[in-house]
Each structure stands twice: as structure tokens, then as C-alpha cells.
Amino acid sequence: MRLGASAYLAHASMAGPTFSAAAEAGATLAFTSLHIPEDSPDGARAAAAAIVSAATSSGLSVVADVSPNTARLLGDSPWEFLRLIGVARVRIDFGFSVAEIRSIASILPIALNASTLQAADLAPFADLDVELIHNFYPREWTGLALSSVASSVSVARQFGWRVGAFIAGDSARRGPLREGLPTVEEHRNMPPLFQALSLVDAGVDDVYVGDPALTDHSWSRLGSFVREDLVALDGTAAPGVHPAVIEALAIPDRNRPDAAEAMIRLEHSRERFAGLPLPEVGGQPRPAGSVTVQLASAGRYCGEVAITLRDLPPDRRVAQLARLARLSQPETEQTVRPKFGTQALSIQMGPDAI
């Protein structure tokens, strides 16, 4: 997965800190929009140049969203201007003919709209350097279904193209609505890491943070995923769990290749936990998001650590070690549950007990 950050003309002052934090997290892409109607043409060239400069200074490759309105904002020869200031690719949003798009592509590589275009619409550009990038959806309840994104990936693969999509931020959200800028509606209020994992599960190649800022914590979690293929999950320890057990939970492990439907079973946990001071009593409730361990009474399964993906009944052979906040919400059809396939998992404990 390639990771990207975003900045906008109305938030140009945030571009430097955002791109710097993104680059530290392993991001290689930047996104900006140069056609949004509420943006003023006054100073647009200078603001665009400042955003691109901030991105390139952080080593990020810039994708600029454009439409015929871009010429109003930037004035004469807008595509040459964007090429000269360092934009790497323009995303064609709407309003151009096939001939106009091919003309732009003779100046800059292009991205096309993965949310609205079908295979027949894309065929005239099969010979060009193209990527597909989805829309983001600023208004609540207007985002796409995850299945639509997965379908777009299937179309893109017919042409050998990459697919990008957006996740919502959890810090500064772009106005005027400030309801987040995700591609997928069910992602709108999920943690950025979970949004990214869900998109990757659907086959997306490039994940852009749509909003102009993330918390440091979210950049850190995304960075672990991008740089190390490590998913760091935040948990709260159950009372009385031995510090040695908590330390062992932070050691990266993986879901078993024969993944269970109801839980994540950490592949190498038995050998790591069987000799540790485990809780003496099991049988606690196991709501979704519980981190549990099999006790000595489980025989050869002693020490196996699992994360429940749905509510499970108590079992006297199983003790609860912790809870993961985002997996412990009541399950609904809209709940995002990353598959946790090949990624390593690490469970990081906060200071509070359950």
C-alpha cells in the first residue's frame, strides 16, 4: 500500500506540518484539489505552488484534482503551470471530453475517476499512463459501499492500473461540513488504520487521507502498517494481568493461515505464553474485541491468545487479558472488521484497566 496525505487551497498553511508527519509515517503521495467551487481564484497560483512545494520538500509525489473550473482558478495554461511547479499527476474529475483528456495527458500523467467511470468509459485511455482514484464524500450518508470499491479494483486490473481511495481524518476535518472525507460511507467515523486496512482488503493500492490532518497517534499506527506491515491494536488490560503477559502481547504475531470465523488466533502464542504467569481463573464474558488466553485446563492449547471478532460465551478454560476498544462495539452490518490476513499484529496496552 502507498499512503498519501492531503492539503487544500483553503488550508495551505497546514500543508507543511501535514506532509512532514505523513512522510515520517512512510507516505509517498500527496493530494490536493484545484477546482472546488468555494475556493477563490485570488492567490490560487501562489497557494497551489506552496502546497506542491511543501509536498515535494517532504518527498511526496503530488496528485492534483482538476476540472474545467481549474482554469478559472489558475488562469492561462493551467496544465503547463502545474507541470512546472512539480505536480506529478492530475486527476480528471469531470467536464472534459475524451480529446481534452488526451490533450492534458500529453502534458501530465492522468488519473481518472474510479467512482463514476465504467470499463467502456476507460477504454479510450488504455494506451496511456493512467491511475484510477475514487471520489471522497464530504456529506454524511453519501459515500460508497465497500463492494463498489472492490468492483472498481476488478475493472482497473483489466487495464493494469492502480486504484486509490480516501479515508477520513480524525483531527482537523475539511469544511464546510467537517463530516470527514472518506470514499466508503461505513468508514466515516472509524479509526484511520481500520479504514486503510479495509480498503487494502478490498484490493486498493493507494490510500489517501482525505482530510487535512490526522492525530499523531493515527499517523504512528498507519506508519507501522506502511513501513513494517505491522498492525498495532490499542487495548486496555483486564485487572490483575501480570506485566510479563502484557509485554508479551506487544510482541508481533500473526493470525493463523487457517483463519477462524469467530476469532483471530495468534499463530505462535502458545509457545510464548504457556510458561508465563497467566490468570488463575477463567470463565469471564468474551464480548467482541476481547483478548483472551487458554489456561492450563485447555491442555495442549494452553497459552493460545485470541481476539474475539464477535460475542462468545464464557469458557472456564479461557481467561480475558484485555479489551480492544474498536472491536468491542456492538456488531452491526456496518461494522468494519479488517481481515488481518498476512499482517503482523501487536497489542499495545493503555494505562487504564477494564
Side-chain angles (χ1 to χ4, degrees):
M1 181 193 96
R2 295 191 305 187
L3 178 63
S6 299
Y8 304 97
L9 299 184
H11 302 83
S13 62
M14 300 177 66
T18 293
F19 291 151
S20 177
E24 188 173 343
T28 56
L29 301 170
F31 177 84
T32 191
S33 179
L34 300 175
H35 74 85
I36 296 175
E38 55 262 32
D39 286 332
S40 168
D42 295 337
R45 282 197 170 219
I51 288 171
V52 175
S53 176
T56 55
S57 294
S58 292
L60 308 183
S61 179
V62 180
V63 176
D65 203 30
V66 301
S67 76
N69 192 49
T70 303
R72 179 188 69 84
L73 282 172
L74 300 181
D76 295 337
S77 304
W79 322 126
E80 285 287 355
F81 169 74
L82 294 178
R83 183 182 65 81
L84 288 172
I85 65 173
V87 168
R89 187 177 297 271
V90 289
R91 178 183 180 269
I92 309 297
D93 197 309
F94 60 86
F96 295 105
S97 68
V98 170
E100 288 170 329
I101 294 172
R102 293 189 68 90
S103 176
I104 295 170
S106 69
I107 301 171
L108 280 167
I110 62 170
L112 297 173
N113 193 325
S115 298
T116 62
L117 300 179
Q118 304 303 313
D121 305 308
L122 301 170
F125 312 104
D127 60 318
L128 300 179
D129 176 2
V130 176
E131 295 178 3
L132 297 185
I133 301 178
H134 276 277
N135 291 334
F136 52 58
Y137 293 90
R139 187 160 60 89
E140 193 176 20
W141 307 120
T142 62
L144 302 182
L146 186 61
S147 59
S148 296
V149 174
S151 295
S152 75
V153 171
S154 297
V155 172
R157 298 299 183 255
Q158 298 176 31
F159 297 92
W161 295 341
R162 303 180 68 89
V163 177
F166 291 88
I167 61 174
D170 62 350
S171 180
R173 287 188 157 186
R174 191 182 187 281
L177 299 180
R178 305 187 191 283
E179 294 176 0
L181 298 178
T183 292
V184 174
E185 183 57 41
E186 67 176 337
H187 291 170
R188 192 172 298 275
N189 293 305
M190 294 300 296
L193 174 62
F194 277 27
Q195 296 178 60
L197 287 169
S198 179
L199 290 175
V200 170
D201 286 345
V204 169
D205 304 290
D206 303 326
V207 174
Y208 296 84
V209 179
D211 288 291
L214 283 183
T215 62
D216 291 343
H217 181 79
S218 289
W219 279 126
S220 174
R221 292 295 182 252
L222 284 169
S224 294
F225 178 51
V226 170
R227 295 190 309 265
E228 305 168 51
D229 201 25
L230 173 67
V231 177
L233 299 170
D234 295 300
T236 303
V241 175
H242 196 279
V245 174
I246 292 176
E247 289 178 12
L249 288 172
I251 297 172
D253 203 339
R254 296 182 187 276
N255 194 8
R256 287 172 56 108
D258 53 339
E261 178 186 8
M263 64 179 68
I264 296 166
R265 301 170 66 193
L266 296 188
E267 187 173 16
H268 303 292
S269 55
R270 292 183 213 172
E271 55 208 65
R272 192 162 70 250
F273 284 84
L276 295 179
L278 300 177
E280 297 181 0
V281 178
Q284 296 86 8
R286 291 187 290 169
S290 297
V291 181
T292 66
V293 66
Q294 301 275 335
L295 302 179
S297 55
R300 66 188 179 89
Y301 292 97
C302 178
E304 181 172 288
V305 173
I307 302 168
T308 61
L309 297 175
R310 65 187 190 203
D311 294 351
L312 298 178
D315 185 330
R316 61 179 179 77
R317 300 167 298 179
V318 180
Q320 188 183 65
L321 299 178
R323 290 277 294 278
L324 303 181
R326 295 307 308 196
L327 287 179
S328 62
Q329 303 302 316
E331 186 168 1
T332 70
E333 292 183 359
Q334 296 295 310
T335 301
V336 173
R337 296 254 194 267
K339 292 186 178 69
F340 303 116
T342 61
Q343 302 93 2
L345 304 175
S346 173
I347 302 170
Q348 309 288 321
M349 293 300 157
D352 301 324
I354 295 174

